[in-house]
Amino acid sequence: MSDETKQGFATRSIHAGASPDPTTGARSVPINQATAFVFKDADHAAALFGLEESGFIYSRLTNPTVSVFQERVASLEGGVGATCTASGHSAQLLALFAVMDSGDEFVASNKLYGGSITQFGHTFKKFGWTVKFVDPVDPENFRKAVTAKTKAFFTESLANPGGVVCDIEAIAKIAHESGVPCIVDNTLPSPALCRPIEHGADIVVHSTTKFISGHGNAMGGAVVDSGKFDWSQNDKFKSLSAPCGAYHGLNFHEKFGEMAFTMFSHAVGLRDLGPTMSAMNAYLSITGAETLSLRMRKHADNALEVAQWLQQHPAVDWVSYAGLKDSPFYALGQKYCPEGAGAVFTFGVKGGYEAGVQVVDRCKLFSHLANIGDTRSLIIHPASTTHRQLTEEQQVSAGAGPDVVRLSVGIEDVEDIKADLDQALNI
Ligand SMILES: *Cc1c(COP(=O)(O)O)cnc(C)c1O
């Protein structure tokens, strides 16, 4: 609806994709647990199966509650369509599944979430997909890794640990000069703080488990398509611009235009791989998304204040947060996340490994766990947990050396957050 697209971000966070239930008048989005939906008649069934008409068949492919969340996330990112999935990892699988064939390559940032490094570097090998990791701090590194088999670039807008802000515009430009889409994981800033499509990204992926849902109670992922990439500009993207055997020779790009990627992700990706978001998790995530802009503003304000305070703390060696003026990523942060550099950052505690472990153990308000993006403040010592399998050298290069503590600053009162860290640091 043209009017809806003109509405502001906070309004769309609450309303995009949803309207009062036409049967009951229910104002919040109903949780539709049905697995299957009745056809009006045989012609209706045939039209749905032939992708001639949109509607609901079976909840592995589409579901009314999940559809609302899909429209919501697509609207917030400024895309034409979205596919929601069971987790952030399955969103990454689906995003690449539409563009990759066995034997293909993609170029990815080496500063990704640790789970993504493992998924790309080890598990995707089983599909015959090869990843080439490059340092994203110099965008030209992406160009140097391109070969005839490259099908996509993948980076995070804002990466942890280390507070790295990627130059999305420069990376997307090189992707387009190479004839491939630029996929951006926008989990850390969320669309409230950064919208990669406005800077040239073609596909945005999310772990909605984190800030979009925001309450630490629903796993989920999303793949958003900008609708701008021309899948027929070369012969690289056979799933999207060549006849599809599983749909009587249908060519997705010819038939669906800017919706080709999203239609493929539902009709083939979700149908055949099956990582569907549950209606219950869509409902919880819709409820979470309604407060996204308020929460992100508070997260970012609290994080900046805590980061500045930690910089002055006698027990702290260094603080790495893109919102700090002395961060090497401050300028890029101002460009891509002008309203705040998010809630997640790292700092180094004096006394190394032992001190890092003790700080985490002594926190009371902060929860010690392996997650980010919750309303609650979260803390972890990567070297003794998420990065413990690596050598010390590998830990340091991943920004997870022995002295590193990672925070996901919550939206509690900032004085309470600082007081908890202060008592934990004063060993
Ligand atoms: C958590 C996370 C993922 C993976 O998402 P899940 O929902 O845990 O599968 C991917 N990227 C980033 C940046 C993350 O923080």
Side-chain angles (χ1 to χ4, degrees):
M1 277 176 275
S2 57
D3 279 344
E4 250 185 37
T5 61
K6 287 194 198 110
Q7 290 173 338
F9 187 89
T11 308
R12 286 179 285 123
S13 301
I14 295 166
H15 293 284
S19 45
D21 185 67
T23 323
T24 62
R27 189 61 192 89
S28 74
V29 176
I31 307 164
N32 203 317
Q33 284 288 129
T35 50
F37 301 86
V38 178
F39 307 120
K40 288 176 209 147
D41 53 36
D43 285 346
H44 179 225
L48 288 174
F49 274 100
L51 302 182
E52 295 298 334
E53 217 178 288
S54 66
F56 302 107
I57 301 176
Y58 186 64
S59 283
R60 177 163 16 93
L61 289 86
T62 48
N63 167 280
T65 313
V66 178
S67 286
V68 171
F69 188 46
Q70 285 169 166
E71 281 193 48
R72 180 84 39 101
V73 179
S75 168
L76 297 182
E77 285 290 358
V80 295
T83 310
C84 284
T85 56
S87 65
H89 264 15
S90 49
Q92 295 174 178
L93 168 65
L94 234 63
L96 287 160
F97 179 69
V99 298
M100 300 282 290
D101 281 305
S102 182
D104 285 344
E105 301 174 357
F106 65 109
V107 186
S109 157
N110 65 5
K111 303 267 186 302
L112 298 177
Y113 167 72
S116 304
I117 300 269
T118 310
Q119 185 192 40
F120 292 0
H122 294 278
T123 303
F124 282 177
K125 262 196 210 155
K126 289 171 99 72
F127 304 150
W129 300 354
T130 302
V131 62
K132 289 192 175 173
F133 287 116
V134 299
D135 185 349
V137 173
D138 181 0
E140 283 300 320
N141 290 336
F142 281 85
R143 195 193 310 277
K144 288 180 198 147
V146 170
T147 73
K149 292 178 183 169
T150 303
K151 298 296 174 72
F153 289 2
F154 190 105
T155 190
E156 280 176 26
S157 44
L158 183 62
N160 90 83
V164 177
V165 182
C166 286
D167 192 345
I168 299 168
E169 230 168 79
I171 296 169
K173 184 163 176 279
I174 298 169
H176 299 155
E177 285 163 7
S178 311
V180 302
C182 177
I183 306 174
V184 176
D185 180 339
N186 197 35
T187 298
L188 257 79
S190 92
L193 299 178
C194 175
R195 285 170 298 281
I197 290 172
E198 292 174 2
H199 301 287
D202 302 289
I203 307 289
V204 172
V205 295
H206 273 286
S207 167
T208 62
T209 312
K210 314 291 169 53
F211 294 98
I212 290 185
S213 178
H215 297 71
N217 60 11
M219 296 296 299
V223 189
V224 183
D225 180 18
S226 68
K228 290 180 186 154
F229 193 83
D230 177 5
W231 304 107
S232 305
Q233 65 180 274
N234 51 40
D235 59 4
K236 288 182 189 291
F237 307 103
K238 295 189 176 58
S239 295
L240 299 171
S241 60
C244 175
Y247 275 106
H248 303 297
L250 178 136
N251 174 324
F252 277 87
H253 195 211
E254 218 170 73
K255 172 112 184 150
F256 299 111
E258 64 172 19
M259 286 299 286
F261 183 95
T262 298
M263 288 302 291
F264 179 86
S265 294
H266 281 90
V268 183
L270 284 180
R271 184 194 65 180
D272 295 345
L273 300 175
T276 305
M277 174 178 272
S278 72
M280 183 68 199
N281 282 354
Y283 169 78
L284 291 168
S285 306
I286 289 164
T287 307
E290 290 177 0
T291 56
L292 182 63
S293 54
L294 281 177
R295 283 187 288 108
M296 292 316 292
R297 203 173 309 148
K298 181 79 172 159
H299 274 299
D301 288 352
N302 280 359
L304 180 60
E305 186 165 340
V306 172
Q308 285 168 339
W309 172 79
L310 282 171
Q311 270 190 318
Q312 309 301 324
H313 199 284
V316 171
D317 239 350
W318 53 266
V319 181
S320 173
Y321 180 56
L324 293 173
K325 288 212 169 72
D326 58 1
S327 160
F329 299 102
Y330 182 75
L332 283 173
Q334 290 299 106
K335 173 169 179 180
Y336 291 108
C337 308
E339 292 173 67
V344 179
F345 69 88
T346 50
F347 67 93
V349 56
K350 285 180 186 159
Y353 189 95
E354 280 310 313
V357 170
Q358 283 188 31
V359 168
V360 167
D361 262 349
R362 290 165 59 108
C363 276
K364 298 188 179 93
L365 184 65
F366 275 82
S367 302
H368 179 198
L369 52 73
N371 193 18
I372 56 168
D374 201 323
T375 51
R376 284 154 280 262
S377 286
L378 313 174
I379 190 166
I380 200 160
H381 178 239
S384 60
T385 55
T386 52
H387 291 65
R388 69 175 298 132
Q389 270 77 16
L390 305 183
T391 64
E392 188 170 325
E393 195 184 354
Q394 287 173 319
Q395 288 175 347
V396 171
S397 84
D403 62 333
V404 176
V405 173
R406 186 189 76 192
L407 303 182
S408 175
V409 177
I411 58 175
E412 302 98 337
D413 290 301
V414 73
E415 293 307 327
D416 294 330
I417 297 172
K418 288 195 285 191
D420 191 41
L421 288 171
D422 197 36
Q423 62 82 24
L425 283 163
N426 288 325
I427 301 169

